[in-house]
Amino acid sequence: MLILPCPFCGQRDESEFVNAGPTKPSRPDANVSDAEWVDWLTVPENPIGYIEEKWWHAKGCGKWFTIKRHTVTHEIVTADVMPDDVGKRTGETT
Amino acid sequence: MAKFSAFSLAWNALSHHRNWTRYWQNPPLAKKYEVLIIGAGGHGLATAHYLAKNHGITDTAVLEKGWLGGGNIARNTVTVRSNYLRDESLPFFVKSVSLFEGLSKDLNFNLMYSNRSMIDVIQTYPKMREIRRRMMNGYLHGSSYSSIDVAELRRRVPALTGGGPESRLPIIGAMVHKEAATCRHDGVAWGYARSASTRGVEIHQHTEVKNLLRDKDGTIKGVETNRGTVLANKVAVVVSGHTTTITETAGLRLPIKSFNLAAFVSEPVKPLIDVIVNCPDLGVYLNQSDKGELVIGGAPDPGQSFRRDVKQNVFEEAVVTMLELFPAFRRLKLLRQWGGVLDIAHDATPIISATDIPGLFVSCGWWGGFKAVPAGGYTLAHLIATGQPHNVAAPFTLDRFHHLDFIVESGTTTAR
Ligand SMILES: Cc1cc2nc3c(=O)[nH]c(=O)nc-3n(C[C@H](O)[C@H](O)[C@H](O)COP(=O)(O)OP(=O)(O)OC[C@H]3O[C@@H](n4cnc5c(N)ncnc54)[C@H](O)[C@@H]3O)c2cc1C
Ligand SMILES: [Zn+2]
């Protein structure tokens, strides 16, 4: 049973949430190379370790938030900042 | 290798089955091979078999970190089918099903291949539309998919008593895919291993690849393992959900994510369901094994995961939705549950490809890739041996991402 930390509602059961996938760096500007653009578009982080991902409290308050979760232990480290503006989020990796 | 036959069975019975020969050899690990295949799952072993059989390449070693056939090949729900959507995918899966049909004979190994049809139970109109599209495309490529009405569905699957007009999601129709089959999954791994080993291929268990090694000019040179360095001219990464853990060591980035998919089985019951039943609107599917157990699978755990168990949440959802359609199963006891790590590509179509690193090949994105084992091995062997993709797998190279030529495939997952 995974318990997720909604910034508004607190600790809630996973069944109330929708996983929205790993975070992405913001859209690169138009003059990057084709290869860099394809990489941004199609290649996600896929570590055995912590992954930064977005969740949506769909069956709760409706808030979007970002956490770091371990892909083996499911341990959750809440990111220092928890912006609900998904589009503005910049990831730390390219 | 002793040939399996009624005669060999009778002959070995005389000595109380104590003199059967081993399925595969355990030779010492050499310093260098022509081809290294990382991963002794279905795809890796099939590749080794077809490299030897079709291309005469036998200086091959298959390296496996655990034991042969202990990965997803041992963890799937054994459904073989070809009812995909895209013009690019259909010929490949049709080829795989036809190879499966002749595989027991090809490998001289009884795979208990059971052609039994799959019925998709449809409860929403968007699903109905998607599935009709698959039907029309299937006809073009020789994969049958035809609709039946609710009365015929209930006649063919009497245990399906839920989903009536009063329910949350009434059943509106169903689709039958006749070519669908089940077969003994361990047998597939053992059969390919036995055949490859007989032809001179080496299989090394408990040999974990830690790193890919490259020459100064960038070409692949070999691998670093827990048993030392092994050199090779060509290396194929065929490790299912763990692909990125290996390709990352050479700086190769791939458009795939790993997820956990799980399944569970009930206690054995009398023959009850003789087809594979798939309920895509609910995300649950099941079939009955030869032992009588119901083999049940649900939707994947939604976040990326490298776990091989089942999450309570995912398990409960599969059970609850199954009971909506099969309320009588409430009384069944569930015996075992397990999961596996699978990878899926950005467009949900598999990848069988050379890479930017000369000499390095990948076969990955095998979501629902048990059915693809024969054709996956066949075409990867062709690519390794000739340097050219086989025509039925030609659309599956990494090039499609470079050109944003995605093959968005809705037929990949049975559940949703
Ligand atoms: C619950 C479940 C149900 C499924 N149901 C179906 C189904 O009904 N129909 C269908 O078509 N497919 C199904 N699948 C998918 C199918 O099982 C996989 O797509 C397929 O088995 C993957 O290919 P494989 O057999 O080569 O993988 P695997 O058997 O996983 O082989 C990969 C091997 O690589 C090894 N390996 C990993 N890392 C290393 C390393 N560093 N060094 C050396 N070796 C390494 C692993 O130990 C493993 O043995 C299901 C999967 C699951 C988990
Ligand atoms: Zn909330």
Side-chain angles (χ1 to χ4, degrees):
Chain A
M1 199 68 79
L2 189 61
I3 306 288
L4 291 167
C6 171
F8 188 72
C9 309
Q11 306 283 333
R12 305 293 300 175
D13 187 275
E14 183 193 351
S15 59
E16 298 176 5
F17 297 85
V18 171
N19 177 291
T23 56
K24 240 179 188 322
S26 9
R27 194 181 173 94
D29 60 43
N31 44 35
V32 296
S33 68
D34 286 0
E36 284 170 294
W37 205 81
V38 167
D39 186 276
W40 173 81
L41 187 68
T42 65
V43 180
E45 297 302 315
N46 193 40
I48 293 193
Y50 292 98
I51 185 157
E52 196 179 81
E53 63 186 3
K54 291 171 297 196
W55 288 83
W56 176 31
H57 200 182
K59 294 177 199 162
C61 66
K63 203 164 183 68
W64 287 83
F65 59 101
T66 304
I67 58 171
K68 275 192 181 163
R69 180 182 57 81
H70 198 283
T71 55
V72 177
T73 63
H74 282 315
E75 184 210 352
I76 293 169
V77 185
T78 31
D80 303 333
V81 281
M82 285 208 290
D84 46 358
D85 284 344
V86 177
K88 289 196 200 132
R89 175 105 193 131
T90 34
E92 53 210 356
T93 42
T94 322
Chain B
M1 177 180 74
K3 194 172 179 325
F4 292 152
S5 63
F7 175 75
S8 70
L9 190 61
W11 178 253
N12 279 282
L14 294 177
S15 54
H16 303 281
H17 298 293
R18 277 191 299 257
N19 295 326
W20 288 103
T21 49
R22 285 184 174 277
Y23 281 10
W24 52 82
Q25 308 302 314
N26 286 307
L29 185 62
K31 291 266 174 289
K32 182 159 190 199
Y33 298 88
E34 170 65 16
V35 180
L36 279 182
I37 295 172
I38 311 174
H43 283 270
L45 293 166
T47 305
H49 162 85
Y50 293 115
L51 266 178
K53 185 181 172 211
N54 296 353
H55 305 280
I57 298 176
T58 55
D59 183 15
T60 304
V62 185
L63 307 182
E64 166 57 48
K65 78 170 169 190
W67 64 94
L68 187 158
N72 294 304
I73 190 72
R75 294 165 177 271
N76 63 74
T77 47
V78 300
T79 301
V80 174
R81 60 181 179 90
S82 63
N83 53 346
Y84 277 60
L85 170 67
R86 298 284 168 190
D87 292 329
E88 293 89 343
S89 331
L90 273 154
F92 176 87
F93 289 100
V94 167
K95 166 94 181 163
S96 208
V97 171
S98 81
L99 285 170
F100 249 128
E101 285 162 355
L103 200 57
S104 288
K105 199 151 175 247
D106 183 18
L107 300 179
N108 177 230
F109 202 103
N110 184 2
L111 301 174
M112 299 186 181
Y113 193 76
S114 163
N115 177 210
R116 56 172 73 175
S117 296
M118 178 160 105
I119 302 191
D120 286 330
V121 178
I122 313 301
Q123 296 167 279
T124 64
Y125 286 96
K127 192 55 169 182
M128 184 63 106
R129 276 196 293 276
E130 189 263 325
I131 233 156
R132 285 214 175 123
R133 234 179 121 193
R134 274 160 64 188
M135 170 182 85
M136 294 167 101
N137 240 18
Y139 282 149
L140 299 178
H141 296 279
S143 173
S144 83
Y145 210 20
S146 48
S147 65
I148 54 173
D149 63 15
V150 181
E152 173 64 6
L153 167 68
R154 294 201 190 275
R155 190 190 69 74
R156 293 192 59 173
V157 190
L160 180 72
T161 56
E166 302 300 312
S167 64
R168 178 172 75 100
L169 282 177
I171 299 170
I172 55 177
M175 289 294 244
V176 183
H177 176 46
K178 281 213 201 85
E179 293 89 325
T182 63
C183 96
R184 186 180 161 201
H185 48 0
D186 304 309
V188 172
W190 300 337
Y192 275 123
R194 174 170 167 268
S195 164
S197 177
T198 307
R199 290 179 157 92
V201 170
E202 295 183 10
I203 301 163
H204 296 282
Q205 303 182 70
H206 307 291
T207 308
E208 177 171 6
V209 171
K210 306 277 190 190
N211 278 302
L212 297 172
L213 300 174
R214 299 171 72 174
D215 251 331
K216 274 182 223 75
D217 63 358
T219 57
I220 203 80
K221 192 168 81 176
V223 300
E224 197 59 57
T225 76
N226 59 337
R227 296 172 62 198
T229 305
V230 187
L231 302 176
N233 295 330
K234 296 172 183 174
V235 175
V237 180
V238 199
V239 294
S240 195
H242 285 78
T243 307
T244 52
T245 66
I246 293 183
T247 52
E248 266 164 14
T249 67
L252 179 68
R253 288 167 56 78
L254 293 173
I256 50 179
K257 287 188 217 162
S258 300
F259 292 95
N260 160 285
L261 187 67
F264 44 97
V265 294
S266 75
E267 60 188 325
V269 289
K270 292 251 164 77
L272 179 66
I273 292 186
D274 62 0
V275 294
I276 303 157
V277 181
N278 176 38
C279 314
D281 290 304
L282 298 182
V284 66
Y285 61 95
L286 51 97
N287 65 66
Q288 190 168 19
S289 74
D290 294 338
K291 279 186 282 183
E293 302 160 325
L294 291 175
V295 182
I296 304 158
D301 187 2
Q304 277 152 276
S305 171
F306 286 85
R307 290 186 74 91
R308 300 213 291 188
D309 57 358
V310 57
K311 211 196 238 173
Q312 181 68 17
N313 217 52
V314 171
F315 172 71
E316 277 177 17
E317 204 170 296
V319 170
V320 166
T321 50
M322 174 181 74
L323 293 182
E324 270 184 54
L325 294 184
F326 298 90
F329 292 0
R330 207 174 293 277
R331 292 170 55 203
L332 281 176
K333 289 188 183 63
L334 297 176
L335 295 189
R336 306 186 293 284
Q337 77 287 327
W338 67 90
V341 184
L342 301 176
D343 53 1
I344 189 161
H346 184 66
D347 57 0
T349 289
I351 297 168
I352 303 175
S353 186
T355 65
D356 290 344
I357 299 171
L360 181 69
F361 301 86
V362 290
S363 170
C364 59
W366 291 116
W367 195 272
F370 173 66
K371 65 179 80 64
V373 161
Y378 196 96
T379 56
L380 178 60
H382 185 277
L383 176 63
I384 294 171
T386 67
Q388 294 303 315
H390 187 279
N391 58 351
V392 297
F396 296 172
T397 64
L398 283 164
D399 273 350
R400 72 178 190 267
F401 298 100
H402 301 153
H403 302 121
L404 305 184
D405 226 351
F406 304 140
I407 309 170
V408 180
E409 181 51 81
S410 60
T412 302
T413 56
T414 38
R416 287 177 200 160

